């Protein structure tokens, strides 16, 4: 399950993430789910409040050049998934 914690300091994160403006720019398109049980695979994200609940920790950056992962939020779960198939983080978020 992709249980995501957004951390305040870069050194606490598993990856630096940049939200891009267009789906075509993204490595991963993600969909936010309401319940942790719905968070399957890397593309369905459930946000948690505590580190011990998280499967992956992110630190948001403003520039694409600073990011380990470029993401785009989609409205429907069936739109979520990897756009960059050979990405180093594929399979590591869940």
């Amino acid at each position: 399950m992709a249980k995501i914690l957004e951390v305040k300091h870069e050194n606490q994160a598993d990856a630096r993430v940049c939200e891009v403006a267009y789906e075509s720019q993204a490595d991963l398109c993600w969909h936010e789910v309401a319940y942790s049980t719905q968070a399957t695979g890397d593309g369905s994200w459930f946000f948690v409040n505590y580190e011990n609940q998280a499967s992956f920790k992110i630190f948001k950056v403003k520039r694409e050049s600073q990011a380990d992962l470029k993401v785009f939020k989609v409205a429907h779960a069936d739109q979520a998934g990897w756009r960059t198939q050979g990405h180093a983080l594929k399979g590591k978020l869940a």
Side-chain angles (χ1 to χ4, degrees):
M1 290 187 249
K3 295 180 182 176
I4 307 296
L5 176 67
E6 186 177 342
V7 295
K8 296 182 188 296
H9 304 285
E10 184 176 352
N11 65 341
Q12 298 172 323
D14 295 314
R16 294 179 308 266
V17 173
C18 179
E19 285 272 355
V20 293
Y22 302 100
E23 182 177 346
S24 60
Q25 298 171 307
D27 296 317
L28 175 66
C29 290
W30 64 280
H31 174 73
E32 186 171 357
V33 295
Y35 303 99
S36 65
T37 54
Q38 296 172 314
T40 57
D42 292 339
S44 296
W45 290 11
F46 178 75
F47 285 91
V48 296
N49 295 315
Y50 302 102
E51 187 173 348
N52 65 342
Q53 298 172 322
S55 64
F56 200 78
K57 297 173 285 192
I58 63 170
F59 178 76
K60 288 193 176 174
V61 294
K62 292 183 182 182
R63 293 190 179 94
E64 287 182 45
S65 61
Q66 299 172 311
D68 301 312
L69 181 63
K70 295 176 284 182
V71 297
F72 181 80
K73 185 176 182 179
V74 292
H76 304 284
D78 62 344
Q79 298 171 312
W82 286 95
R83 300 302 187 261
T84 304
Q85 291 303 321
H87 198 281
L89 292 173
K90 188 173 182 180
K92 308 246 190 226
L93 280 70

